[in-house]
Amino acid sequence: MQQDLIARARTWLAEDPDPETREELAGLIDAADLGALEDRFAGTLQFGTAGLRGEIGAGPMRMNRSVVIRAAAGLAAYLKARGESGGLVVIGYDARYKSADFARDTAAVMTGAGLRAAVLPRPLPTPVLAYAIRHLGAVAGVEVTASHNPPRDNGYKVYLGDGSQIVPPADAEIAAEIAAVGPLDGVPRPESGWETLGDEVLDAYLARTDAVLSPGSPRTARTVYTAMHGVGTSVLTAAFARAGFPAPVLVAEQADPDPAFPTVAFPNPEEPGAMDLAFATARRAAPDLVIANDPDADRCAVAVPDESAPAGWRMLRGDEVGALLAAHLVSRGVTGVFAESIVSSSLLGRIAEKAGVGHEETLTGFKWIARVEGLRYGYEEALGYCVDPEGVRDKDGITAALLVAELASVLKERGRTLLDLLDDLAVEHGLHATDQLSVRVEDLTVIADAMRRLRDKPPTSLAGLTVISTEDLSRGTELLPPTDGLRYHLTGARVIVRPSGTEPKLKCYLEVVLPVPALESLATTRAEAATLLSTLKQDLATAAGI
């Protein structure tokens, strides 16, 4: 067993094209560090609907150039098998460790396979890549990013020619082609032959961002902005300048790309402490809004002044921003379908129903939301918003920020705020209070055990509320394909439990819906909802054994 492990590691080492991971692996082999080698060679990083994502390092269970070259070769074979020989594959990348290398390797493999490849000119937001696919008539696109994952992670996200991320069965078919790739010296990788794009695609994307705003709408909202050490600063500030908004005040410590993400434990606006520097900047600048993107700028976080909050500023939940943008679009008279993932608030359905527009629920992820027929607006609670589906069939933190700023400007002219509009929505549709129980694990069996425990012994009540029905989403429903998840409908509440598709987390999504008789009773209703959500968390954690 030991000799077999060492032999596999030596075979991998012999074809690894990266001096850094070769040095890492050679050191482990020389030290006979069997634990570290077993961790890296316990299997292969699985390609799925999220593409690839994992820690950078040597071996098939890590993100590295060898894994990426195989992934690119598998994608190229998949495309050629479907008659796309000679088609264009456009490649984007963020500013994480190895991203530029992975993008260049992908371009080389595509070129060697007889496809055409074009690489974006520098690290840019993921929505620019999603836009470029359709703008350039590409047959596929690749974005090298790990979004808001820890600094040592990277990832490989695949889109097809419709500009949407892959869904089954394409993921399994591409995975099969990757598995069929032989030794790396059999994968042609020329030194040149692909195109490095200029700024024309970025300029076209920026010209498109204006389309999300109403002509002549007020553009007075003042913002503080953080890119969270990612790639959003130059694109967002350019979009705001084009639209005529005041220049955002930048959180200087986080404005420039830095793959080490030195000021945050996790580069995710939802994580505790991640917004501290933004709030400190806001206390000095006194803006109307704080806006944050995650490192690849496909998500958008919003915070508003709130004297009752410890920092004087309150982060809005993704569900709150989702409802605000929906209400804003309704007020502008838009038509089409409003879509959301099943883990997002049911408030969107109430807003859509009253406005007479379509409403659909999908599985989690914009790979599903973007495919809704007639989509006009889509969102999910994890800070993702699609406000221009004709331009970008994915979440887009740049155009979402523009639309939030427009809404804040409209309200500002009326002497009102985003919090005032949230109050109005609660009175009109009932208070839809949401929260999440999210458990990050080192050992993935903890998640599997929790899911098995909930399936074997489903709760009959939570927080004193009767569980009316339980759905095992792995069996699929009339409207949804199968996915690993559980959904509980309670009296006045809903709970969904699922493993994260991109991180080692178990995620539990909680919603409580309470009527609001009048604005004066809203504070009492919110307190009641907060108590219910807290008890739901406790009871669910007990039931799941986490």
Side-chain angles (χ1 to χ4, degrees), residues 419-438:
L419 293 180
D420 292 330
L421 181 52
L422 283 173
D423 289 350
D424 292 347
L425 292 173
V427 173
E428 185 175 2
H429 301 288
L431 177 65
H432 291 62
T434 58
D435 203 353
Q436 189 179 130
L437 172 63
S438 181

Side-chain angles (χ1 to χ4, degrees), residues 136-151:
L136 296 174
V139 299
V142 171
E143 176 69 15
V144 180
T145 182
S147 189
H148 56 275
N149 274 39

Side-chain angles (χ1 to χ4, degrees), residues 76 78-89 114-116 137-140 161:
Y78 169 87
L79 293 170
K80 291 171 71 176
R82 278 146 189 80
E84 302 291 5
S85 295
L88 174 67
V89 178
L115 293 145
R116 292 180 295 125
V139 299

